[in-house]
Amino acid sequence: KRKLMDITSLFELRRAVKVFYTKYERLIIFAARFITAFTAAFMINSRMGFNESLNSIVVTFLLSLLCIVLPMGFTAFFCGMLILLHLYTFSVESCILALVIFASLYLVYYHFSPHDAVVLLLTPILFQLHIPTVIPFVVGLVFTPVSAVSMCFGTVIWFFLKFVVGSAEASSIENMAGAEESIGRIQSIIGGFTNDKTVIVYCIGLALAAISIYVIKRLSINNAWQIAVGAGAFIELIVLLIGKVALDANVGIIGAV
């Protein structure tokens, strides 16, 4: 009897949430777009910060307001442009490299998951908040397995920004100049991708967890969602542990990256 009451309460809560969303759907969507755009732009400015004029909170706020009335795809585009402008201020070579990477990712992204811009934006945000292990649960429970492509792209973009900031700090410490500085920056960024297995380990671990959660939650079994979450967490933990031990990847099992 108690179990029946719990199920009834769950259905009532679900219906109440659905009614609330239906009533305030437009307002909720606008708020979600603004929060996502503002958080992404603020993260980019605070992490990179090469162009002081772009670091203004007013610029971030106005850009976020503009994104309210535009699809999420435009928010991803604006964030990409924001990154390129910061990189242009930092180094033309880095900007060109980023442009090539973004163009390559866009061609694959447009082919597989052109409507998953929210996943593309959410992934770097959660990495910045040191909770990347949450991403597969969002993707697996809310989206489709194809969304794992956007999740992996978001992972690549976050690590690219990490390597760029790292190269900027290194060149500043070593006090390089001229052509030597430009070459050092490019080598540092490319070396981050080729030598650091962390990007690959995260992409594999997060993607496998998201896909397994999606597949299991759709099974016609009792407590499918709970089992899916547990299985996804186990798979993610195992892959990250293997990557950490076997490949010496700098992964954070609990959260920190």
Side-chain angles (χ1 to χ4, degrees):
K1 184 177 180 181
R2 183 175 181 178
K3 184 177 181 180
L4 181 61
M5 290 178 62
D6 291 340
I7 295 175
T8 303
S9 300
L10 184 61
F11 275 110
E12 290 178 352
L13 177 62
R14 182 180 178 183
R15 187 173 64 85
V17 171
K18 188 175 181 180
V19 170
F20 179 83
Y21 179 81
T22 302
K23 185 176 181 180
Y24 300 102
E25 179 179 4
R26 186 176 295 274
L27 182 61
I28 293 173
I29 291 175
F30 285 168
R33 288 177 179 173
F34 176 82
I35 293 172
T36 302
F38 186 88
T39 305
F42 183 80
M43 180 200 76
I44 293 169
N45 289 335
S46 61
R47 189 165 185 81
M48 303 185 76
F50 301 126
N51 190 318
E52 294 185 1
S53 60
L54 296 176
N55 295 335
S56 170
I57 194 69
V58 176
V59 174
T60 303
F61 183 78
L62 293 177
L63 179 64
S64 303
L65 283 179
L66 179 62
C67 291
I68 287 179
V69 295
L70 297 173
M72 278 293 186
F74 283 93
T75 303
F77 173 78
F78 287 142
C79 288
M81 292 301 298
L82 193 62
I83 292 173
L84 291 176
L85 289 173
H86 274 294
L87 288 177
Y88 183 79
T89 303
F90 167 61
S91 160
V92 176
E93 297 84 1
S94 300
C95 181
I96 294 174
L97 179 61
L99 186 60
V100 172
I101 293 174
F102 288 177
S104 302
L105 293 178
Y106 175 76
L107 291 176
V108 181
Y109 163 80
Y110 183 79
H111 179 74
F112 284 100
S113 51
H115 304 296
D116 289 335
V118 62
V119 177
L120 187 66
L121 292 166
L122 187 62
T123 301
I125 290 174
L126 293 181
F127 264 99
Q128 179 68 16
L129 295 175
H130 303 295
I131 49 173
T133 49
V134 174
I135 306 168
F137 300 96
V138 177
V139 174
L141 294 174
V142 181
F143 297 91
T144 65
V146 180
S147 302
V149 176
S150 299
M151 181 175 61
C152 290
F153 286 173
T155 302
V156 170
I157 291 172
W158 189 86
F159 276 97
F160 174 77
L161 298 182
K162 180 180 179 181
F163 295 144
V164 167
V165 174
S167 70
E169 294 174 350
S171 61
S172 175
I173 293 174
E174 296 174 10
N175 195 28
M176 294 183 295
E180 182 184 359
E181 183 180 11
S182 299
I183 295 173
R185 287 168 175 172
I186 298 300
Q187 288 179 338
S188 176
I189 297 170
I190 296 177
F193 278 107
T194 56
N195 300 326
D196 193 344
K197 303 297 188 295
T198 307
V199 184
I200 299 175
V201 172
Y202 265 116
C203 286
I204 294 175
L206 300 183
L208 288 178
I211 294 172
S212 64
I213 291 172
Y214 177 83
V215 171
I216 296 174
K217 80 162 186 179
R218 293 175 61 86
L219 297 178
S220 299
I221 57 175
N222 294 330
N223 302 317
W225 280 51
Q226 291 89 331
I227 296 174
V229 170
F234 178 76
I235 291 172
E236 185 179 29
L237 176 64
I238 293 300
V239 173
L240 295 183
L241 278 176
I242 292 174
K244 190 176 185 68
V245 175
L247 300 176
D248 195 27
N250 184 27
V251 297
I253 306 301
I254 303 301
V257 183

